[in-house]
Amino acid sequence: WHLRTGAVLATVAQPVKGVHHASLSPSGRHAVCLLSGNSLALLDLRARKVVGHFDGAMHPWRTGYALAVDPQERHVATCPQQGWVCVYDADSGRPQRILRPDHDMIYDATYFADGTRLAVVGTTGATTVVDTVEGKLLGTWGTRKHDATRDVLYLPRRKLLTTVHSDGVVRMWDGAS
């Protein structure tokens, strides 16, 4: 959709059924959709077709909540209900790495501009950053009370990490360091 006019910019011609969650790549060219039946679909929005379908991509876990595509569009990160981060190769759908941040449930995830760091937020109210290449936990900060963090967004031009909390507070963090 065009934000100002409301016009439809792209419609995928092939049906994608049972979409639970979707996320756009940073370039806006691809979308990744978490489908019912434990699979992912990668869509090319310019060509208006499904370019990848990965069955069983969520491993044995059920529906995930968060999806993110790295800026180079080489990896897709998914976060199943149990709070794991699963990183997949965008071309083959093969798992590359599985990480376990300190969250019961992850609601949202976003890659930093370098394509290696991923920020996740969830039920703990904290923001956790993981290195998806090295498989390391880089840090956790923020509230750790009953204030779930619902959304996270990295703004590359300003190098800010923005979090939105269930109490209505929006926080901005230095994303350069």
Side-chain angles (χ1 to χ4, degrees):
W1 299 90
H2 189 279
L3 292 178
R4 291 190 187 124
T5 66
V8 175
L9 298 176
T11 302
V12 176
Q14 296 167 317
V16 178
K17 296 182 181 179
V19 176
H20 288 282
H21 187 73
S23 182
L24 282 175
S25 66
S27 71
R29 178 174 182 160
H30 293 96
V32 61
C33 301
L34 176 63
L35 309 174
S36 58
N38 201 24
S39 62
L40 293 171
L42 185 63
L43 312 175
D44 184 324
L45 298 177
R46 291 185 192 147
R48 298 181 182 184
K49 66 180 184 176
V50 177
V51 293
H53 191 270
F54 314 131
D55 289 324
M58 294 298 289
H59 287 286
W61 303 309
R62 289 179 276 149
T63 305
Y65 287 101
L67 296 170
V69 181
D70 79 335
Q72 293 77 27
E73 301 185 15
R74 292 183 301 216
H75 297 98
V76 175
T78 65
C79 304
Q81 288 177 339
Q82 290 78 3
W84 295 83
V85 174
C86 307
V87 180
Y88 299 91
D89 180 84
D91 292 325
S92 69
R94 290 190 192 120
Q96 300 293 305
R97 190 164 304 281
I98 297 175
L99 306 163
R100 179 71 166 112
D102 185 24
H103 290 278
D104 294 334
M105 187 179 295
I106 296 172
Y107 291 138
D108 199 13
T110 189
Y111 272 97
F112 284 73
D114 63 8
T116 63
R117 294 176 294 156
L118 181 77
V120 297
V121 297
T123 55
T124 64
T127 301
T128 300
V129 177
V130 295
D131 183 320
T132 61
V133 174
E134 299 293 323
K136 296 179 183 176
L137 178 68
L138 298 177
T140 299
W141 69 92
T143 61
R144 296 191 70 71
K145 55 183 180 176
H146 298 294
D147 169 31
T149 309
R150 298 289 179 184
D151 297 293
V152 63
L153 177 67
Y154 181 72
L155 304 168
R157 287 187 191 160
R158 302 211 177 195
K159 297 182 180 169
L160 290 174
L161 190 68
T162 304
T163 55
V164 180
H165 301 262
S166 60
D167 62 0
V169 174
V170 175
R171 293 184 175 92
M172 293 187 171
W173 310 88
D174 175 11
S177 54

